[in-house]
């Protein structure tokens, strides 16, 4: 992965802080930056949901640096931002269901931790901060496909925390002149996504269960839809957001997805076929907090960031299974 660059300038003169870099998406950003000759890549992570295995492969790289710390401390955020040109902020508790069970920790990490990072990035004078928002901010808005300016009421503490991120980002851009771009990820999947535990995302959970010979659980009747997005597309969006020189593109939020809709039942069938499994899913009642339908209009990111998702769902699952 990442043989073809998404940027045109040299990365050798620049330093990058990736918060949550020991997690799924963060570790892909680190991989990309190191592969393309970044001057320095510093990871800030506390391994709450990330893992040492995700970053082990970088440990001998001369441009790589690991900072063990927690974004709940503004001092830690300041130390991590010191000397950095760019920040890619991924650290968060990333699960809707986890936020339903533990709203306080979700808020303190996702909202307070985000504010700490903004303050630290502003004071350190970083050139630009790109952060992970989420499709969950669309909440109960009924329109499909989702367009950036039409959001509804959040349906989970996680969605509230991401909405708060967007509000603070707007205020910091306006009030302090810091360059910030938010990316509303839609169900990102790919290698290194944690398949274990009660909060595992649906694609790694299906693969884990089918490979173990168990019937995967589908919550609800499986007709709910998602816009599953291979992680390479999310990396492309981050890199393009970091380096866009288009003034109109800065201080905005963008949908980052494939722009295609797939039901959970269709997803199950695709994965089961690719794994040559005859198993059927087991259905349990739907869960509070989950959105029913989700599909993105990615035209804003396409026109302003030149974002062009190149790996579709099926191809992404094939790459993922080949990496297993
Ligand atoms: N994966 C998706 O489908 C998806 C969708 C929408 C948004 N997002 C957002 O993208 C970002 C990355 O998600 P991911 O799927 O890679 O999740 P992940 O859990 O794999 O990565 C999150 C990382 O943040 C670290 N972290 C958590 N709390 C921390 C703290 N207090 N201090 C320092 N580090 C901390 C974790 O240890 C982990 O390495 C998150 O902000 C998430 O909300 C993800």
């Amino acid at each position: 992965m990442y043989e073809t660059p998404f940027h045109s300038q040299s990365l050798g003169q620049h330093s990058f802080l990736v918060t949550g870099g020991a997690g799924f998406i963060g570790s892909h950003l680190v991989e990309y930056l190191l592969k393309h000759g970044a001057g320095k890549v510093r990871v800030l992570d506390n391994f709450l949901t990330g893992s040492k295995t995700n970053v082990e492969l970088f440990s001998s790289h001369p441009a790589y640096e690991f900072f063990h710390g927690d974004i709940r401390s503004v001092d830690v955020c300041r130390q991590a931002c010191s000397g950095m040109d760019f920040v890619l902020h991924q650290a968060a508790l990333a699960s809707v269901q986890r936020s339903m069970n533990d709203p306080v920790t979700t808020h303190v990490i996702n909202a307070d931790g985000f504010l700490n990072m903004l303050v630290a990035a502003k004071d350190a004078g970083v050139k630009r901060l790109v952060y992970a928002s989420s499709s969950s901010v669309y909440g109960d808005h009924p329109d499909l496909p989702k367009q950036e300016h039409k959001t509804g009421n959040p349906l989970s503490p996680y969605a509230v925390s991401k909405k708060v991120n967007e509000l603070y980002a707007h205020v910091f851009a306006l009030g302090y002149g810091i360059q910030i771009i938010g990316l509303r990820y839609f169900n990102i999947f790919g290698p290194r996504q944690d398949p274990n535990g009660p909060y595992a995302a649906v694609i790694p959970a299906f693969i884990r269960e089918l490979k173990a010979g168990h019937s995967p659980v589908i919550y609800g009747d499986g007709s709910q839809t998602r816009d599953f997005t291979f992680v390479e597309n999310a990396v492309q969006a981050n890199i393009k957001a970091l380096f866009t020189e288009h003034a109109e593109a800065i201080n905005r939020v963008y949908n980052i997805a494939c722009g295609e809709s797939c039901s959970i039942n269709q997803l199950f069938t695709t994965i089961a076929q690719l794994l040559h499994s005859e198993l059927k899913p087991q259905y349990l009642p739907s869960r509070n907090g989950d959105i029913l339908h989700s599909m993105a209009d990615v035209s804003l990111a396409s026109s302003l960031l030149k974002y062009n998702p190149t790996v579709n769902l099926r191809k992404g699952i094939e790459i993922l299974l080949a990496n297993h």
Side-chain angles (χ1 to χ4, degrees), residues 70-73 92-93 102-116 161:
D70 194 314
I71 59 165
R72 283 171 281 189
S73 157
L93 279 182
D102 185 359
V104 173
T105 312
T106 297
H107 181 89
V108 177
I109 294 178
N110 294 13
D112 297 355
F114 183 78
L115 179 59
N116 290 340
S161 75

Side-chain angles (χ1 to χ4, degrees), residues 124-140:
V126 305
K127 294 190 170 87
R128 190 171 294 171
L129 179 144
V130 177
Y131 70 95
S133 184
S134 160
S135 58
S136 65
V137 300
Y138 288 105
D140 63 3

Side-chain angles (χ1 to χ4, degrees), residues 30 43 60 72 119 121 152 178 182-183 226 232 254 257 269 279 319:
V30 175
V43 165
S60 59
R72 283 171 281 189
V119 169
I178 169 171
L183 304 175
R226 294 291 181 269
E232 192 170 309
Y254 296 92
T269 306
L279 286 165
I319 297 172

Side-chain angles (χ1 to χ4, degrees), residues 13-62:
Q13 305 306 312
H14 300 304
S15 52
F16 302 83
L17 171 65
V18 183
T19 73
F24 159 49
I25 300 170
S27 67
H28 281 269
L29 293 168
V30 175
E31 181 180 345
Y32 179 92
L33 292 168
L34 290 175
K35 191 169 241 174
H36 292 283
K40 187 184 278 186
V41 181
R42 181 181 293 161
V43 165
L44 168 62
D45 205 297
N46 66 353
F47 295 123
L48 191 56
T49 56
S51 76
K52 291 192 174 147
T53 328
N54 282 349
V55 284
E56 250 162 24
L57 62 159
F58 313 128
S59 57
S60 59
H61 197 292

